[in-house]
Amino acid sequence: MEQQVRGSEMDPNPPKRLRTASEVPQTEGEEQDAEESAVDVDDSRKVVEGWKERLEGKGIAVVISGHNSAQPRGVGYAKNEAASQSCGQYLCFQDADDIMLPQRVRVQYDASVLHQNSLIGCRVQRLPEGSTERYSRWINSLTQDQLVSQVYTSHGPTVVMPTWFCSRKLFLKVGPFDEGGKGVPEDLLFFYKILRRGGGLLRVDECLLVYRYHEKATTHSVTEETIWKLRVDFLQERVLSQWENFTIWNAGKQGRKLYRSLSQTNQKKVKAFCDVDENKIQKGFYTYEESKERPKPKVPILHYKDASGPFIICVKLDMTGGVLEENLNSLQLKEGVDYYHFN
C-alpha cells in the first residue's frame, strides 16, 4: 500500500515484519477504494499510525490492532486477525519488508475473479539482487503443471507466500493459519491445506513484488527437520499411497534419509535405489541397519538406465548442469506421473 501512495518512489528500507492483508472490491463496477488491515506484531504500530492519515486521504481505510499478551503471538495470529477484521471479498497478503509493485492488486485481482478457488501468486524480483539465486530462478520459472507437481521439494510452497492473493471464499474454505508461533511454518501448513481441500494454484507471469531476503526473516526460525517431516508426510499421503511400488533416485545421503523417514508400509514399496555413481552401484544394495526387522531390509542399487519407475527424485534441482534433466528425458518420463521431485 505504501508503494501505491508514494507513486513511483520506492523505499529500499521499508519497516520490518508488519503483516497485512489488503483488500480490493468484488467487482469492476464498485468504487476502487481499498482497505488495509494491519496487525502489530512488534513496534510497527507507530509506523502505521504515521501513515494512517495519508492512506485515508487516498481513500484507503486503515484498521490497526494488536494484542495484550506478554509473549509474541506469531505471524499466523497476525494474518488471521488481519483477515478477520477486514470485510472485502478478496485478500492480498503483503509483508512490510517486501515492496508491492504498481498494478499488483489489479492484476492478481483480475486473475482471482476468474479463479476464485485458486491461490494466486506472481513472479518476483529478489533483493538484494543475486541472493538465493537458485530459489529465485525456481520461483519464477515453474510451469503451471509444476506448481502442483513440485510441492514436495525443500523450497516449500510453489506459490510463495509473499505473493499470495485469494478470494475470501477460498480463505474461509481452507480455514485459519496455524497460530503456534515461532518455529511453526504456518505458510507451508496453510498451503498444504489448500491442496487437501481441492484448491488450485496459479501464478501470474508478471513481476509484481520485490521480495526481500534478510537473515533475520521469520522463516529462518523453522528447523529443517520440521519442514522435512511435513514434506515426507505430505508425499506419503498424496503420492506414495497411490503407488504399489517405486524407485528412489539417489542412493546417497538424501535418498537413504528419505527411505528411513518413510512408514514401514512405504519402505516395503521401495523396489530399488538408482544412481549414476558407479561406486554406489557396485555396492549392490543398501542395508537398513537401524531396522528392527530380521533379517534387516536390503534394497538393490541400480544404474538409472536399469531401474523402472515410478521414481521419487532426491537429487537437488538446478545443481547438475542439466545432466539430471537429460537423464530423465532419455527415459521419456512425465513429471507428475512417472516421477516427482523431492529435493
Side-chain angles (χ1 to χ4, degrees), residues 17-60:
R17 296 189 64 244
L18 178 67
R19 306 284 165 169
T20 68
S22 303
E23 301 185 297
V24 297
Q26 184 173 6
T27 66
E28 292 286 347
E30 292 183 350
E31 186 178 347
Q32 297 300 301
D33 284 354
E35 176 181 16
E36 175 160 295
S37 173
V39 180
D40 183 19
V41 293
D42 43 32
D43 60 353
S44 300
R45 179 183 293 270
K46 293 179 182 178
V47 176
V48 177
E49 288 177 344
W51 278 91
K52 188 174 189 293
E53 183 177 346
R54 296 176 66 181
L55 289 167
E56 291 180 338
K58 295 288 184 177
I60 301 170

Side-chain angles (χ1 to χ4, degrees), residues 112-323:
S112 192
V113 167
L114 296 175
H115 304 276
Q116 297 210 9
N117 196 46
S118 293
L119 181 66
I120 312 296
C122 65
R123 286 180 170 163
V124 302
Q125 173 191 338
R126 200 62 155 143
L127 195 69
E129 186 175 350
S131 59
T132 64
E133 187 173 350
R134 287 177 53 243
Y135 178 52
S136 302
R137 187 161 52 245
W138 178 79
I139 292 172
N140 290 328
S141 64
L142 289 169
T143 67
Q144 180 59 41
D145 288 341
Q146 288 173 333
L147 291 179
V148 177
S149 66
Q150 293 197 16
V151 297
Y152 311 102
T153 77
S154 57
H155 285 322
T158 50
V159 176
V160 294
M161 198 280 145
T163 72
W164 284 5
F165 192 109
C166 67
S167 67
R168 182 176 293 275
K169 177 182 176 181
L170 177 64
F171 182 83
L172 294 175
K173 174 182 177 180
V174 173
F177 287 94
D178 188 291
E179 296 186 6
K182 187 175 182 180
V184 175
E186 83 292 332
D187 55 345
L188 182 63
L189 292 171
F190 191 88
F191 183 75
Y192 284 170
K193 282 203 296 181
I194 288 175
L195 296 172
R196 286 187 176 112
R197 298 184 184 180
L201 303 173
L202 180 70
R203 188 190 66 225
V204 173
D205 286 335
E206 295 183 38
C207 180
L208 301 173
L209 185 83
V210 177
Y211 182 14
R212 184 182 301 275
Y213 171 81
H214 55 91
E215 293 182 356
K216 294 183 180 180
T218 308
T219 186
H220 298 313
S221 69
V222 183
T223 67
E224 288 186 15
E225 284 305 308
T226 295
I227 299 294
W228 175 275
K229 185 179 186 306
L230 289 170
R231 289 168 53 218
V232 170
D233 289 348
F234 199 56
L235 178 72
Q236 293 189 111
E237 171 192 331
R238 304 277 291 189
V239 177
L240 303 187
S241 64
Q242 308 300 313
W243 288 352
E244 293 184 1
N245 52 56
F246 62 97
T247 297
I248 295 177
W249 191 306
N250 186 355
K253 181 179 178 181
Q254 290 296 302
R256 298 194 303 267
K257 180 179 179 181
L258 174 60
Y259 174 85
R260 294 193 300 270
S261 301
L262 298 175
S263 67
Q264 189 174 64
T265 297
N266 284 323
Q267 286 177 349
K268 292 182 182 299
K269 293 182 181 181
V270 179
K271 53 187 174 182
F273 290 91
C274 73
D275 213 295
V276 296
D277 187 335
E278 290 296 337
N279 291 328
K280 294 172 186 172
I281 295 168
Q282 287 176 5
K283 291 180 180 179
F285 54 84
Y286 162 70
T287 303
Y288 182 23
E289 296 291 352
E290 296 87 348
S291 175
K292 295 180 180 179
E293 290 186 57
R294 293 295 182 272
K296 295 179 180 179
K298 291 187 176 182
V299 183
I301 301 175
L302 308 173
H303 190 278
Y304 78 91
K305 289 183 178 179
D306 299 321
S308 60
F311 299 91
I312 297 298
I313 312 296
C314 289
V315 179
K316 288 185 179 180
L317 288 163
D318 200 14
M319 289 287 283
T320 64
V323 173

